[in-house]
Amino acid sequence: MKNQDFIKKLRNSGLRPTKQRIRICEALFNTDKTFHFTVSDLAKMMQKNFNQKISLATVYNTLHAFKKKRYVKEISLGNDKSYFDTNVSSHHHFFDTKTNELIDIDSSKVELKNIPNPPKGKSIKNIDVVINVENDSQ
């Protein structure tokens, strides 16, 4: 995609196309493959690939704005660590506890049974399955 495409997409979704947001769009969406990353990973990627230092607060705020617009998906691991995913389709993950790597699992490979009814006044928005894995000890 070109910068003009990102500017149009941001404007159409009600987000101001700042220089930092456009650069972050380039980093996230000008790739052939989807990927997983943390806020810190993205800040380092911006420095390395674009020679542009962006504060962690700006990266964090931009990612949460993108999450609200469903441009990225957040995977919370419950240990105060969150990853973001540029693949926003319905899918699940393996999480390698030694390498801190997320690996996609096609949602058709996971069968969910006996899902409880949500509390009164609530509805299920999404179900994310994260299966923790590590190398077998040899």
Side-chain angles (χ1 to χ4, degrees), residues 116-124:
N117 290 327
K120 187 175 181 168
K122 306 281 183 182
S123 60
I124 295 173

Side-chain angles (χ1 to χ4, degrees), residues 76-83:
S76 178
L77 299 177
N79 59 357
D80 293 335
K81 187 160 191 166
S82 287
Y83 283 80

Side-chain angles (χ1 to χ4, degrees), residues 2-136:
K2 297 178 185 172
N3 282 357
Q4 293 302 322
D5 297 326
F6 295 134
I7 291 169
K8 184 177 179 181
K9 186 173 185 170
L10 290 167
R11 282 191 177 136
N12 287 343
S13 62
L15 295 173
R16 222 167 33 96
T18 64
K19 189 184 293 187
Q20 287 99 344
R21 283 182 179 158
I22 294 166
R23 280 284 193 217
I24 289 172
C25 282
E26 286 180 65
L28 297 180
F29 308 121
N30 264 350
T31 64
D32 294 332
K33 292 172 42 175
T34 60
F35 62 100
H36 308 100
F37 58 93
T38 64
V39 171
S40 177
D41 293 338
L42 184 56
K44 289 176 189 170
M45 183 190 320
M46 299 302 297
Q47 177 70 39
K48 180 181 174 190
N49 295 350
F50 297 101
N51 199 28
Q52 184 170 6
K53 188 169 176 76
I54 299 178
S55 75
L56 286 177
T58 299
V59 173
Y60 178 88
N61 291 334
T62 300
L63 285 174
H64 282 276
F66 285 6
K67 180 182 127 181
K68 284 182 184 176
K69 300 299 180 181
R70 296 194 173 115
Y71 296 155
V72 295
K73 183 177 182 178
E74 184 175 15
I75 299 101
S76 178
L77 299 177
N79 59 357
D80 293 335
K81 187 160 191 166
S82 287
Y83 283 80
F84 291 86
D85 192 346
T86 57
N87 178 358
V88 293
S89 69
S90 179
H91 67 286
H92 306 292
H93 295 94
F94 286 115
F95 178 68
D96 187 318
T97 58
K98 298 294 184 202
T99 64
N100 292 322
E101 178 186 13
L102 280 171
I103 304 156
D104 289 345
I105 304 171
D106 187 293
S107 60
S108 67
K109 304 290 182 194
V110 176
E111 185 176 334
L112 301 170
K113 293 184 177 185
N114 300 322
I115 298 170
N117 290 327
K120 187 175 181 168
K122 306 281 183 182
S123 60
I124 295 173
K125 179 179 156 189
N126 192 21
I127 298 175
D128 292 319
V129 175
V130 176
I131 301 169
N132 293 318
V133 297
E134 60 184 43
N135 290 339
D136 293 330

